[in-house]
Amino acid sequence: MFRIFISHSWAYSSQYDKIEEFLQQEKIEYYNHSVPKDDPIHTNGTDKDLAAKIEAKVKGCSCIIILAGVYASYSKWINKEIEMAKKYNKPIIAVEYWGSERTSRVVKDAATIVVKWNSKSVANAVKKYAINQSSYEKSFSNWY
């Protein structure tokens, strides 16, 4: 079971939905650590609160999938999520949208791997690079 955080902008929610569809199509067993549109993180309105709640989600995930559209270069939240991923040594899978001519250099430079916009590429990257939580938890439990 993978715990996947999909970084996204709600302005591009159809792309977020498509990434979920790719994972389901390739039968990837995962728990979605993302912030769903229908269940947003509730804070008192401060960026600091929101950042702390997102960081908790990133900390517990197996990998982060980031859509590498050019908008990502200008998103302070994607930049914060990249910093969080690096802090916790989480693999970053950058997905280049099909046919995009311009993509985010910020995201691609931070990525563990950059894949194209199709289900097999995304699924194979998750299988290869994501931290498998069940094997991680089993090995961790051996310490006790």
Side-chain angles (χ1 to χ4, degrees), residues 24-58:
Q24 292 163 3
Q25 186 177 334
E26 296 299 321
K27 300 188 182 357
I28 298 292
E29 290 186 40
Y30 73 101
Y31 173 82
N32 191 338
H33 260 250
S34 308
V35 180
K37 193 173 193 173
D38 58 349
D39 188 19
I41 291 176
H42 297 287
T43 69
N44 65 5
T46 68
D47 280 0
K48 186 177 178 181
D49 254 1
L50 182 57
K53 291 183 186 260
I54 290 173
E55 185 167 356
K57 288 185 166 289
V58 169

Side-chain angles (χ1 to χ4, degrees), residues 78-142:
I78 289 179
N79 288 313
K80 287 177 187 280
E81 291 162 0
I82 288 170
E83 289 173 20
M84 292 170 194
K86 288 180 178 182
K87 178 179 177 180
Y88 296 107
N89 296 315
K90 302 298 179 173
I92 297 173
I93 300 168
V95 183
E96 289 185 308
Y97 191 69
W98 183 256
S100 62
E101 293 177 17
R102 295 175 34 191
T103 57
S104 171
R105 177 57 46 202
V106 171
V107 173
K108 288 168 50 172
D109 287 348
T112 307
I113 186 169
V114 179
V115 299
K116 296 297 181 187
W117 184 257
N118 66 64
S119 62
K120 291 219 183 295
S121 294
V122 173
N124 288 341
V126 168
K127 289 175 192 173
K128 184 171 182 177
Y129 294 99
I131 301 163
N132 186 319
Q133 292 300 113
S134 60
S135 63
Y136 173 76
E137 289 164 1
K138 284 177 192 171
S139 67
F140 186 70
S141 68
N142 291 335

